[in-house]
Amino acid sequence: MAKRIATSSVNWSALAERVPAEQRGSLTAFKTKSDAYLRRVMANPPEPPKINWAQYKQVVPIPGMVDTFQKQYEALKIPYPADTQTSQVEAQWNEIKKQIESFIQASNANIAKYQKEINDTKALLPYDQMTMEDYRDAYPNEALDPINRPTFWPHTPEDQPENWKEDPNAPAAH
């Protein structure tokens, strides 16, 4: 015999928090139907009523008919469907848990990295108080370094000789 479910196992308030505002009406309608179904199921007794076979034997004139019905009724077993999906759902949930954990770890690593960048930026001198040497110390790859990396004015990357592109339509130089 299947076990009787006394209450709904759905956490409706947690579900309502995740449902978009435009679909709340559909969720409310679904909850109403679910609650009505649960009330109808709970209105019935958990076990079917017992049949008084002795009374039927006295009333039915055909001998053996009630005995045949009683044997067939008692032999009747309505199978409760086997649960074949729970293991698949659990496997999917375990996979999702792993993905959630890896996402949380990656997010925490990003948070730590960005927090370090924020702290480094807060520790810098304000730009209006910075000297060229302070800027070079704070941003060594972006600062001008005329001795080790000389550049041409206006000192932008596209105006430097290593970034000049040959024009394929230009005449060849002799």
Side-chain angles (χ1 to χ4, degrees), residues 11-42:
N11 186 349
W12 292 103
S13 59
L15 187 60
E17 291 175 1
R18 292 188 169 101
V19 172
E22 63 271 5
Q23 294 180 356
R24 296 256 165 102
S26 298
L27 177 67
T28 304
F30 177 68
K31 182 182 182 313
T32 303
K33 286 182 181 180
S34 176
D35 290 344
Y37 176 74
L38 185 62
R39 280 192 300 275
R40 284 197 324 264
V41 168
M42 294 308 292

Side-chain angles (χ1 to χ4, degrees), residues 8 10 12-13 19 25 38 40 42 44-45 53 81 98 107 111 132 135 139 160 164 166:
S8 174
V10 178
W12 292 103
S13 59
V19 172
L38 185 62
R40 284 197 324 264
M42 294 308 292
N44 295 322
W53 296 106
K98 290 177 188 174
S107 295
I111 289 170
M132 291 298 284
Y135 184 81
Y139 302 102
Q160 304 312 309
W164 291 347
E166 291 290 328

Side-chain angles (χ1 to χ4, degrees), residues 25-165:
S26 298
L27 177 67
T28 304
F30 177 68
K31 182 182 182 313
T32 303
K33 286 182 181 180
S34 176
D35 290 344
Y37 176 74
L38 185 62
R39 280 192 300 275
R40 284 197 324 264
V41 168
M42 294 308 292
N44 295 322
E47 296 292 328
K50 299 292 182 198
I51 298 175
N52 187 355
W53 296 106
Q55 180 184 2
Y56 281 108
K57 287 179 184 177
Q58 292 174 358
V59 176
V60 176
I62 303 171
M65 182 178 194
V66 175
D67 293 330
T68 306
F69 282 155
Q70 183 178 4
K71 286 179 189 173
Q72 291 176 353
Y73 180 79
E74 290 172 354
L76 178 66
K77 299 290 183 213
I78 299 174
Y80 191 75
D83 183 6
T84 60
Q85 300 300 313
T86 300
S87 60
Q88 294 174 0
V89 171
E90 290 295 325
Q92 287 177 345
W93 178 239
N94 290 335
E95 181 73 26
I96 289 171
K97 278 185 185 177
K98 290 177 188 174
Q99 292 174 359
I100 289 171
E101 282 299 318
S102 66
F103 177 77
I104 289 172
Q105 289 175 356
S107 295
N108 287 339
N110 285 338
I111 289 170
K113 180 179 82 169
Y114 294 137
Q115 192 62 45
K116 182 183 179 304
E117 288 180 20
I118 289 171
N119 293 338
D120 290 347
T121 304
K122 284 182 179 179
L124 288 177
L125 283 172
Y127 285 118
D128 58 350
Q129 296 175 9
M130 225 181 241
T131 64
M132 291 298 284
E133 290 80 15
D134 292 333
Y135 184 81
R136 183 200 61 220
D137 293 341
Y139 302 102
N141 294 333
E142 297 174 16
L144 295 177
D145 186 2
I147 296 173
N148 297 323
R149 293 182 323 219
T151 58
F152 291 105
W153 185 88
H155 307 289
T156 57
E158 58 270 2
D159 291 321
Q160 304 312 309
E162 63 268 7
N163 294 328
W164 291 347
K165 299 206 173 163

